[in-house]
Amino acid sequence: SQKMLSQTLRALERDGLLVRRAFPTVPVTVEYELTALGRSLNMAMRPIVEWAVANMGRVLKARDSFAK
């Protein structure tokens, strides 16, 4: 939901992982960018994301088998 997205973005900004820029347009334009800290986290997470993508089929199959 929009509320959860806003809360998540605020938390990431608070934690120093991204920077928010607002531009005085109508309506207001907002841009987010990863900080150096955010980019370092992105690099650390990359192997986990790659594992998830490579194994999602197996995970879904296991979930299906568990439900039966």
Side-chain angles (χ1 to χ4, degrees), residues 5 12-16 23-24 30 32 37-38 41 46 51 53 56 58-59 63 65:
L5 176 60
L12 292 169
E13 185 179 12
R14 179 198 66 219
D15 294 343
F23 300 93
V30 179
Y32 292 92
L37 184 61
L41 177 60
R46 188 168 304 220
W51 179 92
V53 168
M56 187 51 62
R58 293 169 62 191
V59 170
R63 284 183 186 175
S65 295

Side-chain angles (χ1 to χ4, degrees):
S1 71
Q2 183 69 34
K3 180 181 176 184
M4 282 305 304
L5 176 60
S6 294
Q7 288 175 348
T8 301
L9 289 170
R10 269 191 296 252
L12 292 169
E13 185 179 12
R14 179 198 66 219
D15 294 343
L17 298 172
L18 58 81
V19 119
R20 178 185 187 269
R21 289 188 187 91
F23 300 93
T25 58
V26 178
V28 174
T29 301
V30 179
E31 206 173 78
Y32 292 92
E33 182 179 356
L34 288 173
T35 63
L37 184 61
R39 286 189 298 276
S40 71
L41 177 60
N42 185 46
M43 293 302 294
M45 293 297 296
R46 188 168 304 220
I48 294 169
V49 171
E50 289 172 359
W51 179 92
V53 168
N55 290 285
M56 187 51 62
R58 293 169 62 191
V59 170
L60 294 174
K61 187 175 179 179
R63 284 183 186 175
D64 187 52
S65 295
F66 184 80
K68 292 181 180 179

